[in-house]
Amino acid sequence: MMNDARVGRSAAGPPAIKREAFWTSLVAMGLAVATTAIAQNEPSDKDEREPSWIVEESVEVIEPKPGYEVVASESALRMVTPLLETPRSVQVLNRTLIEEQELQNLTDALVNVSGVAPSAREELVLVSPIVRGFAADLFVDGLSAFALTAVADPTSMVNVEKVEVLKGPSGMLFSGGAGVALGGVINVVTRAPKSQLSGSAGLRVGEFETFGALFDVSVPLPAEAWSLRFNGDAESADSHLDEVDYERLTFNGALVGAPTDRSALRLRAQSSDVEQLEYAGLPASITLGGSFGVDPFRFSGASDAPPTTVENQLFTASWEQRLGSSFALTLEGRRYSSDFEEFASFPFFAFFPPSPESPTVFALIRGQLPTQVDQDMISPRVEWSPQGSSESVVRHRVLAGIEVDRTDYTVGSGFDFFPIGFLDYADSDADLSFGSVPQITGTSNQTYGTDALYVQDQISIGSRVDLLLGGRYSRVEIENRPSPAEDFEEFTPQLGLTVEITEGVAAFAGYSEGFRAPTFAPLAGTVEPERSQHREVGVKFGGRGGVSGTLAAYELTRTNVPTPDPLNPFVQIQTGEQRARGLEADVVWEPLSRLSILFAYAYAETEVTADNSIPLGDRLIRVPDHSGRIAVRYRPRSLPRLGVGLGATAFSSREITLPNLDEADGGVLTDFQASYRLGPMQIGLSVVNLLDEFLFEPYQYLSQSVVVPTQPRSVFASVRLGF
C-alpha cells in the first residue's frame, strides 16, 4: 500500500538530478549562515550559554578526596588528551548536538562527519559504515563489540553521550575479533549515572505510523558516591518502503561508584532487540534509468517472509585505581553476545539474470543465515606520568597494556537456489509467497583468539610540541573448524607530531597501520592478513574565536585484498590493492552565544590500484568524490526557550559495485528541527528531507547492483518531560 507521502510522485522513476545542485546548495547555505551571523549584534558571551556543539578539551584532574570519580578515557589515545594535542583526525558529536538534531540512530549521526558513508537503517546486517573509503569497526566505550557487520550498532541514541569517529586505522589501541579496522573506528560512549536524582520520559510520533517511547532515570544510592542509571526505548514504525516494518526495544543500566577515595568501579549492561522485514534493494538496471515504470518504493521480495531479528547483549566492567601520584591502573572486561536470524528473498543476478525480452522480471530465491557471536575480552592497562619539576622541558605520559580477546563466530547457511517464482517489478500488484524456510545445509564455526601488548608514550616538549610514539604486537589465531588453525603475528605502529603554531591552532602529522586476518574467503597460496597504511597531515583549531575543528589531507592504502584467482574461479588470491586519498574539513563555529554552525566537507579520490578482475582505476563503492554538510542551530535571545535548526547534506555520484557497473546520482537532502521548552516539558519537531528530494541511494546486498529510494519528506513530533 502506498504511503500518503508518495502522492503525486511519478512511478516511472526519479527526476533528473543536476550535479550543480551540490555546489549551489553549499554556496547558498554558506551565504545564509554568513548573513545570519552578520545580522546579529549581540556580543559574544559564550560562558552564559549552556548548549554548545564544541567538545571541550579538558584534562582530567584527580584529587585524593572521598567521593571522587575518575572520568573514563574516551579519546583516541585512551588517556584524556585535548584534541588539539592528538596527532590524528578525531571528530566527536556530543550530546547537545544529538538532542538538537533529533538524531534517532547512528546512521543519522554520522552524516555530520566528513569522509563517512553511513550504512542505511534497512541494511540491518552484513554492512558497516565506511570511513575514508574502507569499512569501519564499531566500538562501545572503547572496547570491541565484534560481529563482522553493523549488527552491533546500538540502534538507539537514548544511551549515547558521544559518538567519536577515529579516522584511519587504529591498530595500536583498538582491536578485537579478527584484527584492526582498516578504515577507522566509530566509538560510541554511553551515558554515565548522575550524582543527583533526575530523569525524563518522552514520546515520539510521526509519519509511517511511527510511535516511540523512552525513559531515562539516574538515582543516587544511599551509599556515598554510588549511583545508578537506567534508560531505554521502544519504537515501532512502517518504512517508506512498501511492506517493510520495524520494531526496536533497548534497555541499558549502569552502576558507578567509588569503593575508596582512590578507586572507581563502573558496571554497564546493554540489551537491544530489533525485528525488521529484510529488504534486498531494487535492481539498478530498471530503476536508475527511470523508463521501466517500476514503483521505486515497492518491496523487492516476498512480503510474507519471516522478519530478520537481531538480539544483542553487552556487559562491561571497569575498575580504576590510583597507585601513588604517578600511576593509575585500569582493568576492563567485556562480554558481548549477538544472535541474529536472517531470512531473505531476493533476486540473484549471477544465477538468474533477466532476459532482454523481459528486463523487469527477476527470479527470486530464498534463504536463511542464522549467526551467533560470543566474545570475551579482558584489557588491563597502566598509565604512568613521571613526576618532574614544573620547569621540565620534556614530559612523558606513558600507557602500557595488554588485551586478551576470544571470539566465537558461528554462522549457518540455508539457501534454496531453485526459484520460488518470477516477479515482475513493473507490476505494482505482483507478489510471491516465501513458502517454507530452507533447511540449514552448511555451518561454519570460527574462533578468533587475540593476545596483544601495546606501549604508547605521549611526549610534551616545551609548551608547543607534542610527540606520540607507540606500537602494538598482536598474535591472532583463527580456528576455522574443520580446517587447520592459522596464526598471524603483526606489529602495528602509530607515530604522530603536533606543533602549536599559535594559541588554539596546531599543525599535526600522523602515521598508523591496521590489519585484518582473513575470515571466510577461500584463499590460495600463502595466506596473509589484509593491511592498511595511513598517512595524514593537517591543522587543528581549539576554540579560538569560537572555532573548533580539523583540516586534513590523507592517503590510505589497503593491500592483500582477496581477488579471484585466474587459474581457479573457486578460490581467491591476495594480490589486490585499493587506495583512498583526500581532503577533509570538520569545523564547528559558534561566533555568538546562541548560534552554532557545523561544516563538514570531504573530497575523496578512491581507486583500485591492483587486481586480477576489477579494472584498475575503478572507484570504491558508496564513496562520493565530493560530499559535505552544513547544519545551523539558532537559539533566539528574545525567545530563550526556542531552538531552530536547519541542515543540508550534499554529495556527488557514488558507485554501487566493484567492478563499477552503475552509479547513483548525487543530490542534496535537507532537514529541519525546532524545539520549545515549557517548564519541565520540551516539545520537538523534526522534518526529514525537507525539500522532498527524490534520489536512489547505493544499497549493499550480496555485492549486487541494487539501490534503495531515499525517504521522502517526513514529519515527526516529540514531547519529553524531565525532572
Side-chain angles (χ1 to χ4, degrees), residues 309-324:
T309 60
V310 179
E311 299 178 1
N312 286 325
Q313 290 82 39
L314 191 69
F315 179 77
T316 307
S318 174
W319 178 278
E320 299 173 9
Q321 181 73 49
R322 296 297 297 182
L323 303 172

Side-chain angles (χ1 to χ4, degrees), residues 328-406:
L329 172 67
T330 301
L331 176 62
E332 292 181 305
R334 164 158 295 172
R335 169 69 175 179
Y336 170 64
S337 177
S338 176
D339 186 1
F340 72 82
E341 295 274 350
E342 182 182 10
F343 300 95
S345 57
F346 53 92
F348 194 46
F349 308 161
F351 285 8
F352 305 102
S355 67
E357 294 78 17
S358 304
T360 63
V361 177
F362 288 79
L364 297 191
I365 64 174
R366 62 190 169 188
Q368 66 163 317
L369 194 73
T371 302
Q372 175 69 43
V373 178
D374 292 294
Q375 179 183 23
D376 295 286
M377 171 185 285
I378 186 169
S379 176
R381 64 180 183 268
V382 62
E383 180 181 344
W384 176 43
S385 300
Q387 296 293 312
S389 69
S390 59
E391 299 179 356
S392 298
V393 176
V394 179
R395 300 172 302 282
H396 296 263
R397 294 178 70 200
V398 180
L399 182 71
I402 62 175
E403 283 187 356
V404 179
D405 184 302
R406 296 293 181 268

Side-chain angles (χ1 to χ4, degrees), residues 136 177 230 350 463 466 484:
F230 295 101
S463 61
D466 291 277

Side-chain angles (χ1 to χ4, degrees), residues 224-294:
E224 187 177 0
W226 289 83
S227 56
L228 284 168
R229 186 169 196 158
F230 295 101
N231 58 41
D233 68 350
E235 183 181 68
S236 66
D238 290 340
S239 169
H240 64 291
L241 305 170
D242 284 342
E243 308 296 343
V244 178
D245 53 17
Y246 176 84
E247 293 185 0
R248 180 190 72 225
L249 178 66
T250 65
F251 180 78
N252 312 284
L255 168 68
V256 301
T260 72
D261 61 356
R262 301 182 67 79
S263 61
L265 174 68
R266 292 175 175 82
L267 302 176
R268 300 182 179 94
Q270 300 169 245
S271 176
S272 64
D273 294 89
V274 180
E275 181 178 295
Q276 177 181 306
L277 182 62
E278 183 157 303
Y279 176 75
L282 290 175
S285 61
I286 59 173
T287 50
L288 295 184
S291 59
F292 292 92
V294 175

